[in-house]
Amino acid sequence: MSTPRLLNLVAELTYRCPLRCAYCSNPLDFASVEECLGAEDWRAAFRQAAGLGALHVGLSGGEPTARRDLPEIVEAAAGAGLYAHLVTAGVGRALRILPELRARGLRSVQLSIQDVDDEGARWIAGRSHREEKLSFARRVRELGLPLVLNAVLHRRNLGRVRRFVELARELGAERLELANTQYHGFALLNRGALLPRPGQLAEAAAVVAEERARGGIEIVFVLPDLLAGRPKPCMGGWGRKTAVVRPDGLVLPCHAATSIPGLEFWSVKERGLVACWEEAPGMNAFRGEAWMRAPCAGCDQRHRDFGGCRCQAFALTGDAAVADPACALSPHHPAVLRLREEALREPSPEPRLRGPDASSSSAPGAVARSFSRQS
Amino acid sequence: MTGRRSEGSPAGGRAAAAPASPLAPEELEARLLAVLDERYHHRHPFNLRMHAGELSPEELRCWVRNRYYYQTRIPTKDSVILAKATDPAFRREWVRRLHDHDGRAPGEGGLELWLRLAEAVGLDRDEVAGLRAVLPGVRRACDAYVEFVAGHDLLESVAASLTERAAGEIMRVRIEAFRRHYPWVASEGLRYFETRTEQAPRDARFGLAFVLEHARTAEAQGRVLRALERKCEILWGLLDAVEEGSRPLRVASRVLLRDHPAAPPGGGMAVLPERAVELNATAREILELADGSRGLDGLVVEMARRRPGAEDVAGEVDAFVREMLHLGVLEHAA
């Protein structure tokens, strides 16, 4: 098959982050991933991505503003013709460097909001930065940048959907992403604390419908696939639109793809982005439909959900090539039902937060280490 | 029709319910005049700005170019009214309107005088007469007038023409305003307005007498009041469309306009947060013209010039611009 056109690049600039969210989408072994791409490496990756047809780049992490060279990286993204979008927690240096980022070509900002109050934020992320985040959001709007708020939803904050919407309206966000936790990595470990109780989602969905009817803001509300009975169209299909570049240069089809053993991904440092996207064996492992078996092969939903999430299939069945067990048509769907049942047992545990950051980030030998992950 | 009233418009909804019992002729006349006072387009923000000298030459040209389409509908509308009339005396009177607008020979009449106004404000008369750049909102409003007359009886059709009762006054104010605020418009251009200060009151006297004589029941009186309201709405809608069409447009500051390998030749992508819009060459051409110096009207005019053979350039540009506004690719500049 011909390689699909790359449309979106996720640049995970660093895994460092002052927050310790219990649903963090970084890999469980994030602390061992070396941060070895410099601004010039990113510049080269952005140019190649633009050449492949990429339109957007999400400058993400970890917390991307933890990188001192972020202004240069933003400039490199804009210079390559990419639409530079910052995905940030809005803490630390973020507020101070925002004007410079805008001057260097930043186009839009997504700010994460863990909860509407300090207590909730501390429960899920270890600390609250409420005032800091609000100041940051206001600054984004003052600078005329489009603002997206992103709130990851779980058992403890699902009942506060209306307050999230009110906050988003007050801050002048044009879009609010109410993203239900997807249960991978840290979130899968914490499912006992995070998975919504029966009824919570329907209540939240009703509030969302009311708030959407009021207009004035775009509200995205995605059901968690474990409860929806339908698989999510993970990343819009494996290696189909989006490439994720890790801090160590490894190019992946999604944030979590290294959780599947035996897949060989390549690094931009060694091979350049084009080869990593088009030729890396791991990137091609689940591209298109050739890998599909029943019930995905021949299913009329396969063009919509692309067979769901490969990482989830592996995590719950040990085989990344079976249908996503989140799908009610999967013979492995009972595994999801069991997981749900266990996760809803009382008493509800406290979440285990993501560990503190590894302090050393660019030890020599980083590239060799990243390659050792491939086989 | 578009029908959405601008801010600052008079009360939106319909006011005149049919009177409970028949009104005396003087009472009906007072009610009709009250409709005009409240709803005639002399109160429209665009007209107020015109008369206050606040229109830019481009805005004035937009109005002249588009209003010509209304002028062309008047003889059509009057022909439809003539076809409904069975009284020779009525027809003898009403046929004069055709002569007023069409003239008795080439180079005469109201349509010709409007084209001279067009030249006086700097427009090309053939371009105006060709009607290719008429804004779709204006076209809908004017067509709605002809359709109204076609679909209603003679009494309501005549009642709809009673906006002429207010036309003499608005023309006097307009002539004064043009002389004072737009001295660059040669006085030859104002002849249409001048002829209307005579014709409109004469025509209105006949129309009003006809309506007062024939609308005797409360039901008929309700219908004539509603007909005049509807006509006021149509004129208001015309100015709404002109006003909207002259608001400058630009590519939104958040949008990144760029080439793209997947786009058709000459096209590209308009990239926004979370989404992108694929553009063909024409779409890109229009977006590049939307540089804050022109509105929908200016885009339509320029594209009509660039695509001399194309049909319905105005409709296509209008639909495209609306979609781009909806997607946030275009925004109004001020």
Side-chain angles (χ1 to χ4, degrees):
Chain A
M1 61 172 289
S2 68
T3 308
R5 190 179 294 285
L6 177 67
L7 288 176
N8 186 37
L9 191 72
V10 176
E12 292 186 329
L13 301 180
T14 177
Y15 283 151
R16 285 174 285 154
C17 184
L19 271 59
R20 300 175 55 203
C21 302
Y23 46 65
C24 181
S25 61
N26 291 164
L28 291 171
D29 65 348
F30 75 94
S32 69
V33 175
E34 302 297 339
E35 190 175 312
C36 57
L37 294 189
E40 284 312 309
D41 299 312
W42 284 111
R43 187 185 305 276
F46 294 153
R47 283 206 192 113
Q48 292 173 53
L52 285 169
L55 297 166
H56 294 92
V57 58
L59 302 169
S60 165
E63 174 49 48
T65 59
R67 277 190 75 133
R68 297 274 155 181
D69 55 359
L70 183 59
E72 289 167 69
I73 292 173
V74 166
E75 190 171 73
L82 298 176
Y83 200 95
H85 178 64
L86 181 68
V87 180
T88 179
V91 300
R93 305 165 63 236
L95 178 67
R96 190 156 42 82
I97 66 172
L98 192 57
E100 188 186 356
L101 299 183
R102 183 179 181 278
R104 300 280 191 119
L106 184 68
R107 291 266 176 182
S108 60
V109 176
Q110 176 185 303
L111 172 65
S112 65
I113 297 282
Q114 281 66 33
D115 211 329
V116 292
D117 65 11
D118 290 334
E119 199 198 337
R122 275 195 290 267
W123 184 82
I124 195 71
R127 46 200 293 203
S128 176
H129 297 268
R130 188 179 153 75
E131 289 308 317
E132 234 177 312
K133 282 170 179 277
L134 298 188
S135 303
F136 179 81
R138 293 189 187 106
R139 194 80 181 104
V140 171
R141 296 301 300 128
E142 281 164 18
L143 291 169
L145 291 167
L147 173 67
V148 176
L149 284 197
N150 177 284
V152 176
L153 299 180
H154 47 78
R155 188 182 301 167
R156 198 174 191 279
N157 67 6
L158 254 169
R160 296 170 167 185
V161 159
R162 195 178 309 273
R163 289 174 66 193
F164 277 114
V165 179
E166 283 164 2
L167 182 64
R169 287 185 192 280
E170 183 193 316
L171 293 174
E174 64 181 48
R175 178 178 157 104
L176 170 64
E177 295 179 354
L178 294 169
N180 274 290
T181 304
Q182 299 291 350
Y183 292 89
H184 305 294
F186 290 98
L188 187 62
L189 295 179
N190 279 313
R191 63 191 181 276
L194 302 182
L195 200 73
R197 300 227 172 264
Q200 275 193 302
L201 283 167
E203 278 172 39
V207 173
V208 168
E210 272 178 46
E211 292 290 343
R212 275 183 183 148
R214 284 179 59 201
I217 187 169
E218 181 185 354
I219 304 175
V220 180
F221 180 74
V222 182
L223 290 178
D225 55 354
L226 289 188
L227 296 158
R230 306 292 323 169
K232 58 180 178 282
C234 193
M235 303 305 282
W238 181 280
R240 188 168 161 270
K241 285 176 165 178
T242 298
V244 177
V245 183
R246 304 205 314 179
D248 61 359
L250 217 54
V251 180
L252 306 175
C254 77
H255 309 75
T258 53
S259 66
I260 303 173
L263 294 180
E264 181 183 338
F265 297 107
W266 295 348
S267 165
V268 290
K269 238 11 209 172
E270 300 298 310
R271 314 255 192 159
L273 183 74
V274 176
C276 292
W277 170 254
E278 293 180 346
E279 296 167 34
M283 198 59 94
N284 282 312
F286 301 108
R287 258 190 180 133
E289 298 178 0
W291 61 273
M292 288 182 181
R293 312 173 202 155
C296 295
C299 175
D300 61 3
Q301 293 295 305
R302 70 188 188 281
H303 307 300
R304 193 197 64 82
D305 60 34
F306 311 106
C309 174
R310 298 301 87 225
C311 303
Q312 185 152 282
F314 176 77
L316 299 186
T317 73
D319 182 354
V322 298
D324 186 339
C327 182
L329 301 173
S330 160
H332 297 283
H333 191 57
V336 165
L337 302 179
R338 272 197 304 280
L339 182 137
R340 251 151 66 175
E341 202 174 306
E342 286 164 20
L344 293 173
R345 268 188 208 141
E346 297 288 0
S348 190
E350 289 294 302
R352 281 170 49 200
L353 305 188
R354 187 183 116 151
D357 285 324
S359 49
S360 69
S361 60
S362 329
V367 177
R369 287 246 291 282
S370 79
F371 269 84
S372 71
R373 302 176 51 82
Q374 292 164 14
S375 51
Chain B
M1 55 164 269
T2 52
R4 190 173 50 79
R5 289 179 174 243
S6 319
E7 275 181 57
S9 70
R14 328 191 134 235
S21 56
L23 303 170
E26 317 81 68
E27 291 173 308
L28 178 57
E29 180 176 353
R31 293 276 292 272
L32 290 164
L33 294 181
V35 168
L36 289 176
D37 184 49
E38 280 173 28
R39 294 165 181 246
Y40 187 56
H41 62 190
H42 67 310
R43 292 188 186 275
H44 192 285
F46 191 87
N47 189 65
L48 293 174
R49 288 180 56 226
M50 185 194 302
H51 290 183
E54 291 169 8
L55 296 189
S56 67
E58 251 336 293
E59 287 174 311
L60 200 61
R61 284 193 268 271
C62 174
W63 174 70
V64 170
R65 182 190 305 110
N66 280 282
R67 167 83 192 200
Y68 181 71
Y69 185 66
Y70 181 80
Q71 302 303 127
T72 69
R73 298 301 89 189
I74 296 174
T76 303
K77 174 268 301 182
D78 285 323
S79 304
V80 175
I81 290 181
L82 275 172
K84 289 175 191 281
T86 51
D87 175 7
F90 180 96
R91 289 198 298 254
R92 271 195 298 278
E93 174 63 32
W94 207 269
V95 76
R96 196 147 53 150
R97 293 159 182 256
L98 291 186
H99 300 319
D100 285 347
H101 284 277
D102 290 338
R104 292 188 177 266
E108 296 176 3
L111 287 173
E112 168 63 25
L113 292 182
W114 196 276
L115 290 174
R116 291 187 200 169
L117 169 64
E119 289 173 311
V121 299
L123 293 171
D124 179 278
R125 73 178 281 141
D126 293 336
E127 215 170 72
V128 174
L131 300 175
R132 293 183 68 232
V134 175
L135 291 166
V138 169
R139 197 174 276 272
R140 278 192 296 273
C142 300
D143 290 346
Y145 186 25
V146 177
E147 284 158 25
F148 177 88
V149 168
H152 291 74
D153 68 12
L154 183 63
L155 178 60
E156 288 163 293
S157 301
V158 174
S161 76
L162 290 180
T163 46
E164 285 167 338
R165 181 67 174 66
E169 176 60 19
I170 205 174
M171 292 300 167
R172 273 187 291 280
V173 174
R174 190 165 287 162
I175 291 164
E176 194 50 43
F178 268 68
R179 289 196 176 129
R180 186 155 157 213
H181 300 301
Y182 310 104
W184 51 273
V185 180
S187 58
E188 167 66 14
L190 307 184
R191 279 191 44 212
Y192 176 81
F193 304 149
E194 287 159 2
T195 61
R196 290 304 290 166
T197 60
E198 304 296 325
Q199 294 166 355
R202 176 203 69 201
D203 293 345
R205 272 194 297 280
F206 177 81
L208 184 59
F210 180 87
V211 167
L212 296 181
E213 185 188 338
H214 292 87
R216 291 305 180 93
T217 66
E219 183 274 334
Q221 292 174 343
R223 286 193 291 118
V224 299
L225 285 165
R226 280 194 298 277
L228 185 54
E229 281 182 358
R230 177 76 186 107
K231 171 66 178 303
C232 288
E233 273 174 25
I234 284 167
L235 291 174
W236 197 278
L238 190 163
L239 285 189
D240 275 352
V242 168
E243 184 178 49
E244 187 199 19
S246 54
R247 289 178 69 194
L249 291 163
R250 65 179 176 212
V251 174
S253 60
R254 63 178 45 198
V255 172
L256 173 65
L257 209 55
R258 50 165 281 192
D259 298 335
H260 195 266
M269 289 277 182
V271 191
L272 297 98
E274 314 287 341
R275 53 177 70 92
V277 181
E278 188 181 306
L279 307 167
N280 67 17
T282 303
R284 180 150 189 187
E285 187 179 356
I286 295 171
L287 290 185
E288 282 173 354
L289 284 170
D291 57 4
S293 71
R294 46 172 84 77
L296 173 62
D297 171 68
L299 296 177
V300 166
V301 168
E302 185 57 31
M303 290 307 289
R305 277 180 200 148
R306 293 184 181 191
R307 302 284 192 280
E311 277 178 39
D312 197 22
V313 172
E316 290 191 21
V317 173
D318 178 69
F320 173 74
V321 164
R322 271 170 217 291
E323 191 188 345
M324 292 302 109
L325 282 168
H326 175 71
L327 292 171
V329 173
L330 283 175
E331 65 185 12
H332 288 291

